[in-house]
Amino acid sequence: MSTPYPFTAIVGQDDLRLGLLLNAVSPAVGGVLVRGEKGTAKSTAVRALAALMPEVPVVSGCRFSCDPSAPDPACPDGPHETGPGVSRPARTVELPVGASEDRLVGALDIERALSEGVKAFEPGLLADAHRGILYVDEVNLLHDHLVDLLLDAAAMGASYVEREGVSVRHAARFLLVGTMNPEEGELRPQLLDRFGLTVEVAASRDTDQRVEVVRRRLAYDDDPEGFAARWAREEAALRERIAAARVLLPRVVLGDGVLRQIAATCAAFEVDGMRADIVMARTATALAAWAGREEVTAEDVRQAALLALPHRRRRNPFDAPGLDEEKLDDTLREAGGDADDGDGDDDGPGGGGGGGGVPPQSGGPDAPDRSARPGDDTPADTPAGSDGSGSEQRPAPAGGAEQAPVGASEPFRAKMLSVPGLGEGAAGRRSRARTEHGRTTGARRPEGALTKLHLAATVQAAAPHQRARGRSGRGLVVRRDDLRQATREGREGNLVLFVVDASGSMAARQRMGAVKGAVLSLLLDAYQRRDKVGLVTFRGKEAEVALPPTSSVDAAAARLESLPTGGRTPLAAGLLKAHDVLRVERMRDPSRRPLLVVVTDGRATGGPDPVALAARAGRLHAAEGTASVVVDCETGVVRLGLAAQLARELGGSAVTLDELRADSIAGLVKDVTAAGRAA
């Protein structure tokens, strides 16, 4: 087994280390979600934490790590008698992104359960992590159904496995740590809320600190054991401090005044539910114990708020995490006492004051709003000739100068656009697909391990052979060949590729604001439906990939916000660029079906016969069966109908901006047609 990097040798990252240490002191805090760019010691810190955790006494031979002083009466390996047991180091169990449900929660041997009536259970990762650390790297990429199982187990302290009426329950209490890079996509708000704390990490911009990081890492890589030995004294001291804080924790007093501050803070920042209040109370108590105090102070509450509330304030993926610290201090004062100035004892890990640093507040509530509303004051970048009144201006002439970016109008709940047919892509919430979860539609012979038994089909397959198999009692004689796997239909996530016209014909401020608002609404919809998104824009003489396909709709919204307008309308170039993007993505992920969303008024300029060239590019998509929809942005009394004509060439359909709204009279769901669709 390789020697882990010492926890105390990590340079900087005070918030990351504090969040992990508070959970080591009080696992009831509920785990920690670490958000940050790649290469910021997220995984290193998590793996190093296990070496600091106290050893765990377990019942000898128990696969579920039962405590010998209080064994689980429902343990599948039990019942156990109380006794001394044996001690082992705390485990760090890693959950791979591609793990199956059975690998996570364990699996029942259905064949033995049906034929012998025994609960033959193979434990999963949740059982291995009991009384230890469960680490999920890139938790934002984990399939939704696995995240639900994982967080349910973390909340209940137990895991339940059920297969056709046969069930097994075992204890599953662990310290949950998730890491993620926000550039690769966000967790849903309801899942964010299940993590007790969150910390933001970023690489230091201080030269000396970066030099020290490299120096220590090179020394560790050259001689891991020797490097760890040089930090053994610091590791031992930190291990003792964790143990002492655990002993002190039950004696820490959480006074009524402090509870009032906690409640007032959660109310002031409008977090949903009561979980935030409970987590803040547990975190503040752990902070006091970590500092060696028996009473929680206002500074503990302040620090707890900075760790427990930022991720709970997000209402959608475009809201920046963070807290307004001035508002936080005012709330604490009004609720019954001034917050400390942070001049207390040097109690933070590695010498940080006040029990840890303050999470970075970049992009907090004071940051510019990326969704400017119609009717706002005219921004400084209003182009010449605009009166800022919100009324539509004359379009810029073809080949005109570039105009500054326009803010998006108010986003709305968008109508669902789905890809026709039945796919087999990644789990999501958009189009129909064959999935592991959903409604049962049939049965088939299993390929590999049986995961979802179709009981009726299994009995039907076994019934004709009972006499030949010598059945004499009431039990059904089942063979492996009789087992049938249930086929299920659910929903998949798609690749939604936006092709946005940013030319002069779209440059009127009111129109472009409405267009950006519509695309932003579709991006929100894509976030909720677990799609990948990409963005192609065209203007002037060419088209460009503003954002390659990604799971981060936040990145797509940022590109959309800064999108300038003006120039000619190379519609064909935009469609051809989209074709190139989809061709590459089909090779990378052939099971993920694309949905092409072209946002344009249908005009095309530049070059000989640009409208015909755009039509040929559209037919190229239709020939490959790409599902498509054209969002018609044409306004005014006189309409040319070019967008609808483009939709016909694409083999798709056209909708107006108004028809995109879910509450429009056109209906709630619009299936996108594709060329070559089977009758």
Side-chain angles (χ1 to χ4, degrees), residues 410-415 656-664 667:
E410 178 73 30
F412 50 83
R413 188 167 66 90
K415 187 179 301 181
T656 64
L657 291 175
D658 288 339
E659 289 173 342
L660 273 180
R661 295 179 178 272
D663 55 358
S664 71

Side-chain angles (χ1 to χ4, degrees), residues 51-64:
L52 302 175
M53 302 286 283
E55 288 197 341
V56 179
V58 297
V59 173
S60 179
C62 178
R63 297 174 297 167
F64 301 89

